[in-house]
Amino acid sequence: MNKIEVLAPAGNYESFIYAINNGVNAIYLAGKSFGARANASNFTNDELISMIEYAHLMDVKVYVTVNTIVKDDEFNDAVDFVRFLYVNNVDAVIVQDLGLMDEIIRLFPELDVHASTQVNVHSLAQAQFLKELGVKRIIMARETSINVIKEICDKVDIEVEVFVHGALCMSYSGNCYFSSMMGDRSGNRGRCAQPCRLMYDLEGSEDQKYFLSPKDLMTIDYVNEYRNAGVTSFKIEGRMRRPEYVGLAVRAYVDALNGSNNNYEKELKLMYNRDFTKGYAFGETNANFTNINSSNHIGIEIGNVTGYRKSYATILLNEVVSIGDSLRFLDDEIDAITVSEMYVDGIFRDIAFPGEEIKVRVHKPINDDVVVLKTTDGKLVKMIQDTPAKLIPITGELKVINQKLVLEISDGKNKVVQSTEMDVIPAKNTDYNERIISNINKTGGTIYYFENIKAPNEAVFLPIKEINELRRRTLNKLDECRKDRLPRIINEIKYTSPVIQNEKKLIVKVRTKEQYEKAVNAGINNIIVENNKLISQDGIKHYYASPRIFRKNDNFNATNNLGNIHSQELSGVYLNVFNSRTVNLFHRLGVKLVGLSIELSYDEIKQLVKTYESLYGLKPNLMIMGYGYYELMIMKHCLINKAEGLDKMFCNKCFDKQYYLNDNKGSSFPLLNDGQCHLSLLNNKRINLIKHIKELQEIGVNNLLLDFTIESEIDDILNAYKKAFEYDFTDDLLLEDATYGHYKIGVL
């Protein structure tokens, strides 16, 4: 049976140490740039060197996240950062950007590349593509079923990593642009503002809920199912969580993998939870995936208020409460306290038990029957903080060779031999050998302890100073072996590009038969469909595009999905193509027309084209989305189904009428079903770049996409864009709900 790795997050140094002390096998963390948790503390280059060395001493691997999409003017800095990690013996880098991934694999042949969950790997075909690219490990999309995970493990020679615990995203990872469009903070660049954790209402009702806020993932009861499927690594989410959370989660999953019967559910809830879900890997129901009543840590319920008098609330307990615990009172106005004094029957107590009534000081009057939550358990926190430092077991053997005392030690992988400078003096009895062993055993202040030491075959004498020096030098030599600082090969890359025809096409994507017919009547010659049953007209170039969430292979000639990217005529705008290297990779794979990310600005597009020309000697063939509602999220969860109180999917409610999700600022976001019960959240405004067609064509971006979704009256839009596109002048199209998107300002 395969050995499964427990992989922990480290957003700060304390998390790093708590993870190691509680038995972790590997840690993922980030430098100061290019990490998908930009708001974590993260680490300087000097700190990274020190942490890699320390982790390796402890038999722990280090993976560094370089998992943001990268602009052309950042690309060389990103490669230089990976080069720094490579020469300092990092074990792997976690990457989202496909162009950067390709560059790293070609430049640094001895560095393992892990495809981030932001790549959204959820199918066998995607896993096969990434294996061909040279990726060592894929981090599965959190929506992937255990059956698909097992199929990948069985059929593709690639390591498979799964999230087992922590926060979940509502959108398929790498496919969320909600934060980006709401405030220019891109989740794909590590700056997600988490608008999914805010309140919304459905269909304009006044009843606002956390419709987009998933529960936290917990799969501790399913470790054997993952093990049997062939999974390589268990990943704990939480670079923004407190260090004690990391330590506890590591301990819980290490114990579970080792067959422990310890039940950690209550402790894990106390550290952090938004309520728990087993997740989509194990068939979680749609109704149980989100917590629509809270988007924050809820802890556990510990009792109800039975009275209030003179700044003190009385609580009837159903759980233990101690001094140092944090409580939250779910009154009309929530109050939160840390218990610093507590009384039972008027007597001060450090701890109180279920069935007892306690009095605690609060900040304001509390109503009777109010539910009280414990959100921090002080004793649990201290237990993790006090976890003993990890020590490495070693064995030793003492010998006398050529009148020198020789110490040979082994950690099971490395063997180190050192001898004294001074010759030994024969001794009359073995008491001296016992003294030597006693001093060799004094490893305090190091990371080692001796499981056993073999004494020399003859009795010898040496000064204590000489014995201590022998121990010190031998352990230091073992340190150097364990740090594994070996030279690594760096390749040179020859930048080449296939010859690509730079086309000029106005391309229309349609969703309905009515839209298709209007596009045909307007004289549109290039039409994209995701349902080939819409196709009915000869003499038009049709693109049959794969869905963003992959179903199966079909006769597609356009793709929104890496699973069928080879030799496609066109790639969509949601594949996060952000730089010239990614464009080149797509062209080398046979994609003739490459759709650029919706998060790029005009200046960044211009730089991309310029960089491509300087590297490859020709212009790329590019497309941008010029009109339409951006797809901000694509979700496996259907909030419409849940809001309607239904317990089964494929209810088709969303086909009866157009649903909208509304925020507290008056914005309405359309909701669409892709036909597979994947729900898309569209932007509240349409992108309209009709005035910028000419300037795009001047820099060599000659292909424009019009993406129709919820619109029915599209004749004026089609005619205006067709006229502006075909003739050399700038036209305008007045739309009330229009935006330039990121065209003018880009994203952070």
Side-chain angles (χ1 to χ4, degrees):
M1 186 130 340
N2 61 315
K3 166 78 171 171
I4 295 179
E5 167 189 276
V6 175
L7 173 60
N12 54 50
Y13 190 73
E14 289 77 14
S15 294
F16 174 77
I17 293 299
Y18 289 175
I20 290 174
N21 290 346
N22 282 281
V24 82
N25 305 114
I27 292 175
Y28 66 101
L29 43 79
K32 291 296 185 180
S33 302
F34 309 114
R37 286 291 183 269
N39 293 327
S41 297
N42 298 324
F43 304 100
T44 65
N45 285 2
D46 286 344
E47 289 170 333
L48 288 171
I49 292 172
S50 175
M51 293 166 78
I52 291 168
E53 288 185 347
Y54 182 75
H56 287 176
L57 285 173
M58 294 295 180
D59 284 331
V60 172
K61 293 182 178 180
V62 176
Y63 311 144
V64 175
T65 60
V66 193
N67 58 340
T68 60
I69 49 176
V70 182
K71 301 177 184 181
D72 266 285
D73 62 2
E74 302 167 333
F75 198 92
N76 289 338
D77 288 340
V79 172
D80 286 345
F81 178 57
V82 175
R83 188 190 310 270
F84 155 77
L85 296 170
Y86 184 58
V87 300
N88 283 287
N89 289 284
V90 75
D91 295 283
V93 287
I94 302 170
V95 186
Q96 173 189 189
D97 189 291
L98 291 167
L100 181 61
M101 191 182 295
D102 178 56
E103 190 101 347
I104 292 168
I105 289 167
R106 294 200 285 165
L107 270 176
F108 310 122
E110 297 172 87
L111 179 60
D112 289 350
V113 173
H114 297 177
S116 169
T117 192
Q118 291 289 110
V119 180
N120 185 29
V121 184
H122 59 272
S123 73
L124 176 65
Q126 290 168 314
Q128 290 168 331
F129 161 71
L130 291 165
K131 170 66 178 178
E132 292 169 12
L133 193 62
V135 169
K136 178 68 177 295
R137 177 184 294 188
I138 52 175
I139 306 169
M140 299 303 304
R142 284 167 274 197
E143 294 78 7
T144 316
S145 74
I146 189 66
N147 292 333
V148 172
I149 292 170
K150 186 177 188 310
E151 180 184 31
I152 291 170
C153 292
D154 289 344
K155 295 182 178 179
V156 186
D157 181 20
I158 197 166
E159 292 182 359
V160 173
E161 179 178 306
V162 293
F163 279 90
V164 296
H165 197 89
L168 291 167
C169 288
M170 175 57 76
S171 175
Y172 276 83
S173 297
N175 290 272
C176 184
Y177 304 92
F178 201 3
S179 173
S180 172
M181 291 305 299
M182 294 304 100
D184 303 327
R185 292 173 56 182
S186 171
N188 283 309
R189 288 174 53 78
R191 293 175 172 85
C192 181
Q194 296 191 315
C196 52
R197 300 296 183 184
L198 301 178
M199 298 186 83
Y200 299 89
D201 67 75
L202 189 62
E203 280 299 281
S205 70
E206 296 181 2
D207 190 17
Q208 287 203 327
K209 301 285 187 181
Y210 295 100
F211 284 111
L212 300 178
S213 184
K215 297 179 180 180
D216 277 7
L217 180 66
M218 183 176 74
T219 61
I220 200 164
D221 294 331
Y222 297 89
V223 296
N224 287 328
E225 284 85 344
Y226 272 137
R227 194 199 313 262
N228 294 336
V231 164
T232 306
S233 179
F234 280 9
K235 187 170 199 168
I236 297 164
E237 185 278 337
R239 274 188 284 159
M240 298 294 292
R241 301 257 173 108
R242 65 188 299 168
E244 296 83 6
Y245 161 91
V246 174
L248 179 67
V250 168
R251 181 181 296 192
Y253 281 87
V254 167
D255 280 0
L257 279 169
N258 291 334
S260 169
N261 292 323
N262 294 333
N263 186 347
Y264 281 96
E265 182 172 354
K266 183 185 289 186
E267 288 84 354
L268 290 167
K269 281 185 174 181
L270 281 165
M271 277 298 185
Y272 198 96
N273 84 96
R274 298 180 175 98
D275 206 351
F276 282 133
T277 170
K278 62 186 177 182
Y280 288 123
F282 300 104
E284 184 61 275
T285 63
N286 188 67
N288 197 44
F289 186 71
T290 55
N291 183 347
I292 61 175
N293 298 311
S294 175
S295 65
N296 296 314
H297 172 43
I298 60 176
I300 64 170
E301 186 176 326
I302 57 94
N304 294 79
V305 173
T306 58
Y308 169 84
R309 186 169 182 269
K310 293 183 178 180
S311 298
Y312 285 86
T314 302
I315 308 167
L316 178 61
L317 297 179
N318 54 39
E319 291 284 348
V320 173
V321 172
S322 301
I323 297 294
D325 292 350
S326 295
L327 306 182
R328 184 183 302 157
F329 297 82
L330 301 184
D331 208 349
D332 297 332
E333 292 186 19
I334 292 175
D335 192 14
I337 66 167
T338 297
V339 179
S340 58
E341 54 177 317
M342 177 171 61
Y343 301 91
V344 177
D345 295 330
I347 299 171
F348 183 90
R349 292 267 291 272
D350 291 327
I351 187 168
F353 300 95
E356 294 184 315
E357 278 193 333
I358 62 171
K359 291 182 185 289
V360 294
R361 183 182 288 274
V362 292
H363 299 117
K364 54 193 173 187
I366 306 291
N367 290 313
D368 286 357
D369 296 324
V370 162
V371 172
V372 185
L373 306 177
K374 186 200 292 190
T375 54
T376 302
D377 187 300
K379 292 184 183 298
L380 179 62
V381 168
K382 191 169 189 314
M383 179 191 75
I384 299 299
Q385 292 172 343
D386 292 344
T387 304
K390 179 180 177 180
L391 295 176
I392 304 298
I394 57 176
T395 59
E397 183 174 359
L398 289 160
K399 302 176 183 177
V400 177
I401 302 176
N402 297 328
Q403 294 185 291
K404 308 291 187 185
L405 184 64
V406 175
L407 175 59
E408 179 183 293
I409 61 175
S410 173
D411 61 3
K413 296 179 182 177
N414 304 285
K415 186 176 288 187
V416 173
V417 179
Q418 294 285 293
S419 63
T420 57
E421 299 288 336
M422 181 183 293
D423 289 351
V424 299
I425 300 172
K428 293 180 180 179
N429 58 60
T430 57
D431 290 347
Y432 288 103
N433 286 1
E434 292 175 6
R435 186 187 67 158
I436 291 172
I437 290 174
S438 175
N439 279 279
I440 294 294
N441 248 320
K442 292 178 179 178
T443 57
T446 76
I447 65 169
Y448 305 106
Y449 71 93
F450 280 101
E451 290 185 311
N452 61 74
I453 306 174
K454 290 183 180 179
N457 292 329
E458 54 191 282
V460 294
F461 170 83
L462 276 172
I464 290 176
K465 181 180 179 181
E466 188 74 9
I467 297 168
N468 290 342
E469 178 63 18
L470 176 63
R471 181 192 66 236
R472 185 190 66 78
R473 283 190 291 107
T474 312
L475 294 179
N476 285 347
K477 188 71 175 176
L478 183 58
D479 278 354
E480 293 305 312
C481 291
R482 293 174 66 83
K483 288 176 183 177
D484 190 30
R485 295 184 63 84
L486 300 174
R488 287 172 155 182
I489 298 168
I490 297 177
N491 290 333
E492 291 186 6
I493 294 179
K494 185 177 180 181
Y495 292 102
T496 61
S497 174
V499 176
I500 299 293
Q501 181 183 356
N502 199 309
E503 301 169 289
K504 183 177 180 181
K505 293 180 179 179
L506 180 64
I507 302 171
V508 172
K509 185 172 184 290
V510 297
R511 188 169 181 266
T512 67
K513 191 70 174 177
E514 180 185 16
Q515 292 168 349
Y516 177 83
E517 291 171 351
K518 288 186 175 184
V520 171
N521 292 337
I524 301 299
N525 296 317
N526 298 277
I527 300 178
I528 301 175
V529 298
E530 287 189 3
N531 180 355
N532 61 3
K533 293 180 181 178
L534 293 179
I535 298 173
S536 61
Q537 188 73 30
D538 295 331
I540 291 173
K541 177 63 179 179
H542 291 103
Y543 297 93
Y544 177 30
S546 60
R548 289 176 66 190
I549 306 305
F550 207 61
R551 277 195 306 261
K552 60 181 180 179
N553 285 307
D554 206 338
N555 295 318
F556 301 115
N557 63 348
T559 186
N560 297 305
N561 192 294
L562 295 177
N564 66 331
I565 195 167
H566 290 284
S567 301
Q568 295 293 296
E569 293 187 42
L570 175 151
S571 65
V573 297
Y574 295 110
L575 288 175
N576 293 323
V577 176
F578 221 66
N579 55 64
S580 57
R581 269 67 157 212
T582 308
V583 174
N584 176 254
L585 173 63
F586 278 33
H587 278 335
R588 289 183 358 242
L589 291 168
V591 180
K592 296 180 176 64
L593 176 55
V594 179
L596 294 180
S597 168
I598 64 173
E599 294 188 298
L600 285 170
S601 70
Y602 168 76
D603 288 338
E604 290 158 354
I605 296 169
K606 185 176 180 180
Q607 180 63 52
L608 185 155
V609 175
K610 182 179 178 182
T611 304
Y612 197 99
E613 287 185 279
S614 69
L615 288 173
Y616 308 109
L618 70 164
K619 284 185 181 290
N621 192 30
L622 304 174
M623 175 184 74
I624 72 160
M625 182 170 166
Y627 169 85
Y629 291 97
Y630 286 152
E631 192 172 61
L632 302 185
M633 282 186 173
I634 183 163
M635 303 171 275
K636 193 164 186 175
H637 172 74
C638 180
L639 58 99
I640 298 170
N641 180 279
K642 180 167 182 172
E644 295 284 353
L646 304 175
D647 60 356
K648 292 184 179 179
M649 298 292 283
F650 295 94
C651 63
N652 293 326
K653 286 282 184 180
C654 53
F655 293 109
D656 295 340
K657 63 178 180 179
Q658 179 58 59
Y659 282 84
Y660 293 85
L661 194 68
N662 306 305
D663 66 15
N664 58 11
K665 296 179 181 179
S667 298
S668 294
F669 301 90
L671 295 165
L672 284 184
N673 187 330
D674 71 345
Q676 304 176 75
C677 271
H678 295 123
L679 196 66
S680 293
L681 177 75
L682 304 185
N683 196 24
N684 61 314
K685 294 182 179 180
R686 295 178 274 185
I687 185 79
N688 180 16
L689 299 181
I690 194 168
K691 293 195 297 184
H692 300 282
I693 292 173
K694 183 177 179 181
E695 68 180 359
L696 284 165
Q697 291 174 343
E698 286 173 350
I699 63 171
V701 181
N702 295 321
N703 301 278
L704 198 71
L705 172 67
L706 313 183
D707 187 351
F708 293 109
T709 49
I710 63 172
E711 304 93 333
S712 55
E713 300 302 321
I714 64 173
D715 300 271
D716 290 344
I717 298 169
L718 286 166
N719 291 329
Y721 267 95
K722 190 169 186 290
K723 183 179 177 183
F725 190 80
E726 292 178 350
Y727 299 98
D728 190 20
F729 68 92
T730 300
D731 205 344
D732 202 356
L733 177 66
L734 298 178
L735 299 172
E736 291 183 0
D737 58 342
T739 176
Y740 292 116
H742 294 300
Y743 186 78
K744 294 188 175 183
I745 59 174
V747 294
L748 297 174

